[in-house]
Every structure is written in structure tokens, then in C-alpha cells.
Amino acid sequence: MEIQKIPQADLLDILFEGRNKEYGAYELRKTYNRRLTKALMLTGSVCLVLIGSYTLAGRLHKDVGKLMVVGDTLTLTRVDPPEQVELPPPPKVKPIPLQQVAMINAAPPRILPDDQVKPEDVPKTQDDMEHVKLGAFNREGAPDEGIEAPPQNNGLGTGVTVAPEKKDAGDDAIWRSVEIEASYQGGMEAWKRFLLKNFHCPEQALAEGTGGTVVVEFVVDKEGNVSNVQAISGPEVLRQEAIRVIKKSGKWNPGNQNGRMVNSYKKQPIVVQLQSE
């Protein structure tokens, strides 16, 4: 473009000087303002049509609403309560009398001379004991059908059957897991002092430079005595000394389960660290 025509030329013509104006970008930029104006006019027309439609519809249906007038006078009407209907009394249920179950004396037979044998001392046959309960005396009653009757109050008690006492594991049982584990008397600091004073590292371990952790398992009974001591892991060269120290440790605080002292297993690690020269 010549220099004299630049002040009068359009900016778009300057940008596309020497370029292909037939490609499409030139035409799109040239007609952009005209297309934007058409789009805005079309959108505004649609909005005006919608607003006008809503306004006209509101005016046409203006008389549809009705006015509800509430008066200031309230009239009360008496309502009679419903008649009460008497229901017939519930039928009386006749209680079923409880029958005692027949029972025979099942005490071990006594060996007596023939002239001293009484009729009640004669052993009962299998047929006699088929439909009766076995007890300490003979009693007449209904045949035993396998159903236990409620206890009877004979004047010697309340007639209440006491549930059998739930027993825990035997007193001699050894617990693997307890609520409070057995511990050394005096706590951790006392245990450290005991090890430093009594544990003697074997010469072989010192020569080989062998250290590590030995886990010793043993039983602490209810009195705190130690038994069944054995090393279950750790260097072999240190196990015998660890077992000896545990056996020499004296009494421990026993384990506690459900608020009472019990026999329990205890696993005690012993750590051996050798100082390098």
C-alpha cells in the first residue's frame, strides 16, 4: 500500500495488506459489526415479545381471583359425646394345677442279710425308672414327661431356683493373655539395675562380637514364682545366660484377670549391646 493512502485506509485493509483476502478471515472481520448488530436486535425483539406476552396474559386473567371474606361472627354448635359401650368382662381362665412328678429313691443299694432287707431297699428295675425321676426318696406323682415343673415352696426357702455359678478357668490354668501382664517388682528401672548387675555376657559372644535381643518365655504363678523358663528367640550363644538371669530374678508381680491374680505366661526381651572398640 502506498504511504499516501495509509491515513485514509481502513485498519483492516492495513492488516491484510499483501495477504489472501479470499481465505475468509478478512470477510468475517469486515462484516463483524453488522452481524453483531443483527444479533442484538434479534435478541431484543424476542425479549420484548416475551415480556409483552406475560403482561397481556396477566391482564386477561385478572378477574380470575376471588375475594374471600371472613366474618367476625363465630357460631358454636354443641356436639354430644358418643355413647359409652360397656365391654363384657374378660373370660376367667382357670389355673391349671401343678402336679408333682413321680420320683423314686435311686440311692446305691446296700448289701444286707436277707432277713434285714426292706421292700424299699430292693433295687428298682429299668421299667420302674422309665417314667419317673431319680432322687433321694420315693414320691407319688404324675409320670415324668421330660418337663421340669416350677419349684414349690415347702416352707424351707423362697422356692427360687438359683442359677449355677459361672466358673472361670480352673485355678491351675495358665493364661496366655491377661488384662494386666506380670511385671518385675520395682518396675522397669529396677529391672534394668538387676540386669546390669547379674547378666554376664558369655566369652564366646564377646569374642565373636555377638549381640542382639533374646526373648525369654516363662510362667509367673499367682504367688509370683517363676517356672518353665525357656528362650524362644535370639542368638543361641546368649540364650543360656538369659535363662539363668530370669531364674535368678526372684518373685514377680503376677498377672491379673477379672480383678484376681492368675497364672500367666510372660515374654521378657533382654537386649544385649556390645560396645565396639
Side-chain angles (χ1 to χ4, degrees):
M1 179 178 292
E2 298 179 359
I3 298 177
Q4 295 81 3
K5 296 181 179 180
I6 289 177
Q8 292 80 21
D10 187 76
L11 178 61
L12 190 61
D13 293 331
I14 298 174
L15 291 175
F16 280 87
E17 176 65 21
R19 298 182 181 181
N20 185 10
K21 296 182 179 180
E22 302 296 333
Y23 183 70
Y26 175 79
E27 186 65 24
L28 288 175
R29 294 193 179 189
K30 187 175 183 179
T31 59
Y32 173 75
N33 293 332
R34 184 166 62 252
R35 289 185 288 106
L36 180 62
T37 303
K38 289 183 179 180
L40 292 175
M41 292 178 62
L42 180 60
T43 303
S45 301
V46 173
C47 293
L48 290 175
V49 171
L50 292 176
I51 294 173
S53 300
Y54 283 119
T55 304
L56 181 61
R59 291 183 178 180
L60 293 177
H61 296 84
K62 187 176 182 180
D63 56 345
V64 175
K66 295 182 179 180
L67 180 65
M68 184 176 65
V69 179
V70 180
D72 56 356
T73 302
L74 181 63
T75 303
L76 300 178
T77 304
R78 180 176 180 180
V79 178
D80 296 331
E83 297 181 0
Q84 295 183 355
V85 180
E86 294 186 1
L87 299 177
K92 295 182 179 180
V93 180
K94 185 178 180 180
I96 301 176
L98 298 177
Q99 296 182 355
Q100 291 184 345
V101 179
M103 183 170 60
I104 63 173
N105 185 5
R110 297 182 299 168
I111 301 175
L112 298 172
D114 293 342
D115 56 348
Q116 297 182 12
V117 176
K118 299 179 181 180
E120 57 269 17
D121 293 333
V122 178
K124 304 298 182 182
T125 63
Q126 188 65 31
D127 294 337
D128 295 335
M129 296 184 295
E130 184 175 0
H131 296 291
V132 294
K133 283 190 172 297
L134 305 181
F137 57 89
N138 296 325
R139 182 180 66 190
E140 298 293 334
D144 181 21
E145 301 295 341
I147 302 175
E148 185 68 25
Q152 302 294 323
N153 188 354
N154 54 8
L156 301 178
T158 61
V160 177
T161 302
V162 179
E165 182 180 358
K166 183 179 180 181
K167 297 182 179 179
D168 293 333
D171 293 339
D172 296 333
I174 303 176
W175 294 71
R176 276 288 179 185
S177 176
V178 291
E179 295 175 351
I180 302 177
E181 288 189 355
S183 59
Y184 186 75
Q185 294 185 357
M188 185 58 65
E189 293 299 325
W191 172 247
K192 291 180 180 179
R193 291 194 299 269
F194 172 79
L195 286 181
L196 291 175
K197 182 178 178 181
N198 295 276
F199 188 90
H200 305 295
C201 189
E203 294 294 337
Q204 182 181 353
L206 293 175
E208 297 176 355
T210 302
T213 301
V214 181
V215 178
V216 183
E217 183 182 65
F218 51 95
V219 175
V220 180
D221 64 12
K222 293 179 292 184
E223 305 299 329
N225 299 315
V226 173
S227 61
N228 299 343
V229 183
Q230 58 179 344
I232 59 175
S233 67
E236 291 290 343
V237 69
L238 299 174
R239 291 192 180 190
Q240 291 300 323
E241 179 64 15
I243 292 174
R244 186 192 67 82
V245 169
I246 292 296
K247 289 182 178 180
K248 189 180 178 182
S249 61
K251 288 193 174 184
W252 290 54
N253 297 319
N256 191 298
Q257 179 70 21
N258 296 329
R260 63 187 183 90
M261 304 302 180
V262 295
N263 306 325
S264 63
Y265 283 96
K266 173 68 176 179
K267 291 182 179 179
Q268 181 64 44
I270 299 178
V271 181
V272 179
Q273 293 180 348
L274 301 180
Q275 296 181 353
S276 60
E277 297 182 356

